[in-house]
Amino acid sequence: MEQFSEQSADQSMDQDDGRWLTYPELAAVRGIDKPSAIRLATRKKWRRQRDNRRIVRVLVPSEWLSPRYQSMDLPMEQPARDMDLSSNRPDFAAALAAVEAAHAGEVAALHGQIDGLKTLADRTMAQLTEATARVGDAERRADRLEQDLAAAHVIAQAAQRVAREAVEQARAEAGTARDTAEALRRADEARKARGRWRAAWAAWRRQP
């Protein structure tokens, strides 16, 4: 477990053999990220302190107060100002070019993905528009069918009314025909009765 000592906010952060830095400050000085700075301090077992604001600082030796691409393969006791940086410049330029190339590749890949997503979105929108048009056509056909059914219902009701009226008229005409036939039958029977009466009267008159 790491051990920390408390330090007041106004206490000097500089020492003769180094400088007190936070992990972000160490990362900025070394040109690395914060996790790498934490691992570096842990690996080198540098002293750590936490101030009254709970901020952790490490005592970084003077020879480490330079970017990491300034070679640390030299003996630790050699001052940073005596380092020959000329041999590292081509390596740094090559590394920078590699990073830029990788970044350009990532940007190109992202542009490709964006173009693919745009194409997919356009195709999906076209399909949605077509589907919406089909739904509209189906709704219009349904409306026309509903109107046709309503008209057919009205026509059927009218036909039923006409049929009922025709049946009622036919029944009335049948009743009239029956009444007429009955009247004719009675008239015929009365005529026949009169004929028989006349024949009987004539026969009686002929008697001596």
Side-chain angles (χ1 to χ4, degrees), residues 191-206:
R191 182 182 58 80
K192 289 179 180 180
R194 286 193 301 271
R196 287 192 299 272
W197 181 81
R198 287 176 182 175
W201 174 255
W204 180 77
R205 291 184 64 183
R206 287 193 300 267

Side-chain angles (χ1 to χ4, degrees), residues 167-177:
V167 170
E168 291 175 356
Q169 183 177 358
R171 288 175 177 173
E173 291 176 353
T176 302

Side-chain angles (χ1 to χ4, degrees), residues 56-124:
V56 177
R57 288 180 172 82
V58 294
L59 181 60
V60 181
S62 300
E63 61 267 22
W64 288 87
L65 297 175
S66 59
R68 62 173 178 171
Y69 52 79
Q70 294 182 356
S71 177
M72 296 306 300
D73 295 336
L74 299 176
M76 295 296 292
E77 62 274 7
Q78 182 176 357
R81 61 178 178 272
D82 295 336
M83 295 182 182
D84 184 8
L85 302 181
S86 61
S87 61
N88 292 312
R89 290 175 182 172
D91 295 339
F92 174 72
L96 181 60
V99 171
E100 291 177 347
H103 177 67
E106 292 177 354
V107 170
L110 289 175
H111 280 300
Q113 293 178 359
I114 292 172
D115 292 338
L117 290 174
K118 287 182 178 178
T119 301
L120 178 60
D122 292 340
R123 183 166 60 250
T124 302

Side-chain angles (χ1 to χ4, degrees), residues 115-194:
D115 292 338
L117 290 174
K118 287 182 178 178
T119 301
L120 178 60
D122 292 340
R123 183 166 60 250
T124 302
M125 183 59 67
Q127 293 174 351
L128 178 60
T129 302
E130 182 179 359
T132 302
R134 290 179 179 177
V135 170
D137 292 340
E139 289 179 347
R140 286 189 290 273
R141 288 195 298 270
D143 291 340
R144 286 196 299 269
L145 180 58
E146 185 176 0
Q147 294 173 358
D148 293 341
L149 290 175
H153 181 66
V154 171
I155 293 173
Q157 286 182 335
Q160 289 177 357
R161 184 170 59 254
V162 171
R164 285 195 299 269
E165 292 175 353
V167 170
E168 291 175 356
Q169 183 177 358
R171 288 175 177 173
E173 291 176 353
T176 302
R178 285 193 300 270
D179 293 342
T180 301
E182 182 65 21
L184 291 174
R185 184 183 63 78
R186 290 178 180 177
D188 184 63
E189 288 179 351
R191 182 182 58 80
K192 289 179 180 180
R194 286 193 301 271

